[in-house]
Amino acid sequence: MWAPAGGHKGRPYPGVAMPSYQVESKLQSDAPRALVVHCGDHRFQAAFQEFLNRVLGLGGNYDLFVVPGGPQSLTLAEYLPKFSWASWRWFRFFVDNHEIDRLILIQHEDCAWYKSLPVHLHTSSEPRERQEEDLRKVGKTLRKDFPQLQLELYFAAWDGKPQGKIEFFPLVV
Ligand SMILES: [Zn+2]
């Protein structure tokens, strides 16, 4: 149940005024323009947002599914079936409940999640190739399951320098 600012019954801590924080952003009332899936790595969040909002023109109006490894969570059917099941459930929730017509999946360079995965899951041991393999794998499934949706796959490459440049490369399924 929704409670007014201040917490339970407005008085969680007697005698202590709880601050609230009003922000400039307003509620998005229009249907989302896309569903986006990417990793939660803090180093890439500003770049993801800039790419999505300014380059792709989403203007802050998209559903977002963030987990370590991003789209990789949708490929885990054999290795981690429960993770895979939950990921698809969450993913489909947005597609089924919102007027999504565009899917945007992003992988990023130097993703620590991939370092935690056994190498045998992929045909290559090269990190970027493993990630692009997963993107294409998920992309093929999405093309089959959601042929009516526009699908976009990207790899966010980093030049390897501290505070270095990030460049987004589209992938073809
Ligand atoms: Zn990552």
Side-chain angles (χ1 to χ4, degrees):
M1 191 181 79
W2 182 85
H8 182 63
K9 294 181 181 173
R11 288 184 287 112
Y13 308 108
V16 178
M18 297 291 286
S20 64
Y21 306 91
Q22 185 170 340
V23 296
E24 288 181 17
S25 301
K26 300 286 191 292
L27 187 84
Q28 290 281 3
S29 298
D30 298 334
R33 295 182 182 172
L35 168 57
V36 177
V37 184
H38 63 57
C39 182
D41 187 326
H42 73 102
R43 299 172 299 162
F44 287 81
Q45 300 310 308
F48 289 154
Q49 287 171 26
E50 181 185 342
F51 176 66
L52 293 163
N53 291 323
R54 291 212 238 139
V55 180
L56 298 187
L58 297 181
N61 189 17
Y62 51 88
D63 283 333
L64 182 59
F65 177 29
V66 177
V67 285
Q72 209 272 336
S73 64
L74 300 168
T75 71
L76 294 167
E78 290 102 39
Y79 175 56
L80 294 170
K82 289 181 181 172
F83 281 43
S84 175
W85 183 89
S87 297
W88 279 107
R89 178 97 194 247
W90 290 322
F91 182 89
R92 286 178 187 279
F93 173 84
F94 284 125
V95 176
D96 293 342
N97 288 279
H98 290 167
E99 298 166 40
I100 300 289
D101 57 11
R102 186 174 177 186
L103 301 173
I104 300 168
L105 278 61
I106 306 172
Q107 284 283 16
H108 73 86
E109 188 112 42
D110 196 43
C111 185
W113 173 256
Y114 274 81
K115 293 170 188 168
S116 75
L117 295 173
V119 176
H120 72 76
L121 295 177
H122 299 90
T123 54
S124 170
S125 60
E126 201 280 318
R128 181 164 175 171
E129 285 179 20
R130 295 167 79 199
Q131 291 174 275
E132 294 189 349
E133 183 181 326
D134 283 340
L135 267 184
R136 292 198 173 91
K137 188 175 175 183
V138 179
K140 279 182 186 147
T141 304
L142 293 174
R143 276 232 189 287
K144 186 159 60 70
D145 290 1
F146 304 101
Q148 74 281 17
L149 304 184
Q150 180 180 327
L151 175 65
E152 295 165 60
L153 309 174
Y154 297 97
F155 184 85
W158 165 49
D159 65 9
K161 297 174 187 159
Q163 300 186 320
K165 292 177 185 156
I166 296 170
E167 189 169 356
F168 289 76
F169 293 89
L171 263 79
V172 180
V173 182

